[in-house]
Amino acid sequence: MQIGFKLIAEAFSPQEMVRQAVRAEEAGFDFVEISDHFHPWLDSHGHSGFAWSMLAAIAARTERIELATGVTCPTVRYHPAIIAQAAATTALLSDGRFVLGVGSGERLSEHITGAEWPVVGVRHEMLREALEIIRLLWSGGYRTYRGNHLRIEDAQVFDLPETPPLIAVAAGGPRAARIAAELGDALFVTEPRTDLVDAYRGAGGTGPRYAEVPLAWAPTEQAAIDSAHEKFRFGPTGWKIQSELPNVRNFEAATAFVRQDDMREVFGAGPDVESHMGVVRQFAEAGYDRLALINAGPDPDGFFDFFASELSGPVRALAG
């Protein structure tokens, strides 16, 4: 089992994201994964830097920690040829420490180009084609591809790593989990669902299984819940809402009735190790072996100290 840290690019400046990645390495985390959005979810977030610039800076400032996108949509705001190039470059700059996390996207960030936002079935078709294009370009040489939705013409990525990055495919349902098995190298989820692991394995998936684990550290449980409610109350709305709403104002309205008790049901919160471990165990027992810990609490450095001194040992003991 590997333990990672979620870099929340919507809630912090680009400079702070780089600093937190360095602190994560110092605290003993195995990887960091960073969100790749154009817009934040909520007005209170106030940030949304360019993930690929931050990844380059993190690669230069760290030595051993693995880097990942969590996740990138390679179909609308980005063309998959650009993601193939960006991922290859990031893998080179990080000396092979990069994992490309991809998904079918959210309208919140993808609609900004003015392109039509497709229904979910079409988004899955586009994701399949994008993955085929990325793999094709990583195989070297000039390539042409004509799909139903996406194309490339005489394209070549000239700077390629000796070993291509792993591709982790995000899944909110069994259909996407099967895409992860067929065209990806790993699964990526945000809920402790065994059905997604079953669908992934049933379709032949044998790679790592990434999951984001919702935690909030603070000196008191109430302070942790206050912060989680401010920063992450969009989480309980569910994937169907998260993928379809077009702007921050919609999410402010959609989350107006999310209660602090709703956050308590999902997040490990406060200073107590067992509160956090109860949530971590849900994901480990569901079959996930790459756990990216989210800290929705108000003090990132306090969380890093808490992880290094108290939480790391119990979490890593789950693998034994």
Side-chain angles (χ1 to χ4, degrees):
M1 180 179 291
Q2 292 185 9
I3 310 302
F5 178 73
K6 172 72 174 187
L7 295 168
I8 310 168
E10 298 80 24
F12 298 97
S13 71
Q15 300 95 317
E16 175 63 10
M17 288 290 82
V18 177
R19 191 194 73 84
Q20 287 186 22
V22 173
R23 286 284 282 119
E25 183 172 70
E26 293 169 350
F29 283 97
D30 300 309
F31 66 93
V32 291
E33 53 109 340
I34 190 166
S35 48
D36 184 5
H37 294 154
F38 191 87
H39 288 147
W41 299 97
L42 301 168
D43 281 330
S44 59
H45 286 161
H47 297 279
S48 196
F50 188 55
W52 296 93
S53 296
M54 291 183 276
L55 285 166
I58 292 167
R61 292 280 305 278
T62 57
E63 296 180 358
R64 61 156 190 86
I65 199 166
E66 188 177 85
L67 320 177
T69 48
V71 294
T72 288
C73 175
T75 59
V76 181
R77 177 169 47 109
Y78 298 123
H79 190 280
I82 302 304
I83 295 304
Q85 182 188 36
T89 298
T90 305
L92 289 169
L93 291 173
S94 63
D95 295 323
R97 292 182 283 135
F98 179 65
V99 173
L100 176 61
V102 299
S104 57
E106 302 98 11
R107 189 177 180 188
L108 174 69
S109 290
E110 304 308 318
H111 82 282
I112 57 102
T113 64
E116 176 186 357
W117 183 239
V119 298
V120 65
V122 173
R123 298 202 300 268
H124 284 158
E125 292 174 6
M126 294 173 71
L127 181 59
R128 283 182 173 276
E129 291 186 8
L131 290 170
E132 290 173 354
I133 287 171
I134 290 168
R135 298 274 191 206
L136 187 63
L137 289 172
W138 285 354
S139 68
Y142 284 98
R143 299 293 181 173
T144 295
Y145 177 100
R146 294 183 177 89
N148 292 324
H149 307 284
L150 299 167
R151 295 184 176 190
I152 54 173
E153 293 286 345
D154 292 332
Q156 179 174 353
V157 176
F158 278 81
D159 290 290
L160 291 170
E162 290 186 12
T163 302
L166 294 181
I167 300 178
V169 180
R175 180 164 45 179
R178 289 191 287 272
I179 295 175
E182 295 166 16
L183 295 172
D185 304 299
L187 178 68
F188 186 105
V189 308
T190 59
E191 299 174 273
R193 290 172 52 181
T194 57
D195 64 316
L196 300 180
V197 174
D198 292 342
Y200 177 67
R201 288 173 168 164
T206 59
R209 298 165 302 283
Y210 288 81
E212 294 184 345
V213 181
L215 308 178
W217 183 88
T220 68
E221 188 212 23
Q222 188 58 52
I225 291 298
D226 288 344
S227 181
H229 186 262
E230 177 189 5
K231 295 178 180 178
F232 266 86
R233 65 182 182 274
F234 65 89
T237 61
W239 184 248
K240 289 185 178 181
I241 290 177
Q242 291 174 27
S243 63
E244 297 296 341
L245 295 184
N247 58 55
V248 174
R249 291 187 299 275
N250 297 138
F251 278 97
E252 291 289 348
T255 61
F257 299 103
V258 175
R259 306 165 302 164
Q260 290 199 348
D261 284 346
D262 297 322
M263 309 307 291
R264 284 189 175 89
E265 291 177 3
V266 178
F267 278 77
D272 181 54
V273 170
E274 188 51 40
S275 174
H276 296 272
M277 286 302 301
V279 178
V280 173
R281 285 192 198 97
Q282 293 178 31
F283 286 86
E285 291 171 358
Y288 298 96
D289 60 359
R290 300 289 189 274
L291 304 183
L293 308 186
I294 295 169
N295 175 42
D299 180 5
D301 289 301
F303 178 76
F304 289 129
D305 293 341
F306 172 68
F307 175 79
S309 63
E310 299 184 56
L311 188 59
S312 177
V315 171
R316 294 191 184 282
L318 292 175

